[in-house]
Amino acid sequence: MKNLMKYEFRKTWGTKLIILGLTVFLEVVFLAALFLNKEDITGLSAMLLTLLAIFGIMFVGIQSVITLHRDMNTKQSYMLFMTPNSSYKILGSKMLENGLSLIAAGVFFYALGFLDIVLLLDRYGELDQLWKLFRQIMESFNAELELNARSIAIFLLSMVSSWFCTLSTAYFADIVSTALLNGKRMNGLMSFALFIVLSLVTGWIQRQIPGSVGVTNMLLIEAGISLILSIVMYYFSARLMERSLSV
């Protein structure tokens, strides 16, 4: 599994390196403009950094689906399926590598954004106002949601499980369409259409949770449902790969 994850990372490291390089360049421009009092350039670079963070994280998230589609619909699949690994390991390594990459990208851009905001407000003497506003927001959230270590952990679990559910759904849709239309023109369109349908179904299932259970319990139940659906999608995806797509 470890070697497969390294292999998956090597297939996607080029794009990640481009995103990192663009981020470093824009960050240097932002810092230089900030300390030289070039407000127009500071604002423009900050906006570009924000857009890069949003689209960068989104692309890291969907890149695994893109590589899976390429693996199954080009000669590259022979290199993957001829390794002494089951489809369960191959698919699992893709999901784990993507999850870890997405978490790393999210933490990186969040930390960078927070640092830039602190530097920006400190430069213009408004840092104290930021901390005051932050405390007010946290007190408001805490009054409504009773924030504590447990609720924060549940919230993070809900986010991670929701993403794995989305990713496993996309895998399943792509694998089903490839098994039916391997190499045909409508393959990609069918994958997307099936993904939308499955996403609507999973969304409908989660909306059946009654609101009376409370926010924290709702997030916990949603996380449990997402994990169960992820496991089901993963199992049938890997089983279909094993029976229909392996060489």
Side-chain angles (χ1 to χ4, degrees):
M1 182 71 77
K2 183 178 178 180
N3 290 332
L4 283 172
M5 290 178 65
K6 288 181 178 179
Y7 175 64
E8 291 300 324
F9 178 77
R10 284 197 296 269
K11 287 194 295 185
T12 59
W13 76 273
T15 304
K16 294 183 175 82
L17 192 61
I18 292 173
I19 295 173
L20 179 61
L22 289 173
T23 304
V24 171
F25 172 74
L26 290 174
E27 181 67 16
V28 170
V29 172
F30 171 81
L31 293 175
L34 179 64
F35 289 104
L36 292 174
N37 292 319
K38 303 292 185 180
E39 294 184 0
D40 292 342
I41 299 177
T42 300
L44 178 62
S45 58
M47 181 185 68
L48 292 176
L49 277 169
T50 302
L51 292 174
L52 180 61
I54 295 172
F55 289 105
I57 292 174
M58 288 177 58
F59 190 79
V60 169
I62 66 173
Q63 193 174 23
S64 180
V65 180
I66 295 173
T67 57
L68 174 65
H69 185 80
R70 186 168 60 242
D71 286 342
M72 295 188 300
N73 290 276
T74 65
K75 293 181 179 179
Q76 182 174 309
S77 62
Y78 287 89
M79 297 176 60
L80 183 64
F81 290 116
M82 289 184 69
T83 60
N85 295 285
S86 67
S87 295
Y88 296 91
K89 282 187 176 182
I90 292 172
L91 199 60
S93 66
K94 288 179 177 290
M95 294 185 69
L96 289 176
E97 189 279 329
N98 182 259
L100 292 174
S101 294
L102 193 62
I103 291 172
V107 171
F108 170 74
F109 280 113
Y110 176 83
L112 184 64
F114 183 79
L115 176 62
D116 285 345
I117 291 173
V118 170
L119 290 174
L120 183 64
L121 294 178
D122 184 57
R123 182 67 173 175
Y124 294 102
E126 298 181 3
L127 187 57
D128 290 339
Q129 293 296 323
L130 171 65
W131 294 124
K132 182 179 179 180
L133 178 61
F134 179 75
R135 286 194 297 269
Q136 291 175 346
I137 292 174
M138 291 305 297
E139 289 172 0
S140 176
F141 275 130
N142 191 47
E144 294 186 12
L145 303 179
E146 299 181 356
L147 290 179
N148 50 44
R150 177 178 177 272
S151 60
I152 293 174
I154 290 174
F155 175 73
L156 294 176
L157 175 63
S158 177
M159 290 182 62
V160 173
S161 59
S162 177
W163 170 247
F164 276 115
C165 183
T166 301
L167 184 62
S168 60
T169 300
Y171 282 170
F172 181 72
D174 196 35
I175 291 169
V176 168
S177 64
T178 300
L180 296 175
L181 299 173
N182 189 13
K184 295 184 179 180
R185 184 175 299 178
M186 300 297 291
N187 187 1
L189 182 60
M190 180 179 175
S191 297
F192 181 72
L194 183 56
F195 169 73
I196 295 298
V197 172
L198 291 173
S199 296
L200 291 174
V201 172
T202 56
W204 178 84
I205 293 173
Q206 292 184 332
R207 285 195 299 273
Q208 303 312 302
I209 304 171
S212 59
V213 299
V215 176
T216 302
N217 289 332
M218 180 179 292
L219 289 175
L220 186 60
I221 296 172
E222 286 181 353
I225 293 174
S226 295
L227 288 175
I228 292 173
L229 291 174
S230 299
I231 293 172
V232 171
M233 294 286 186
Y234 163 76
Y235 172 77
F236 283 106
S237 296
R239 185 176 177 84
L240 185 58
M241 285 178 67
E242 196 80 14
R243 297 182 60 182
S244 303
L245 302 177
S246 297
V247 294

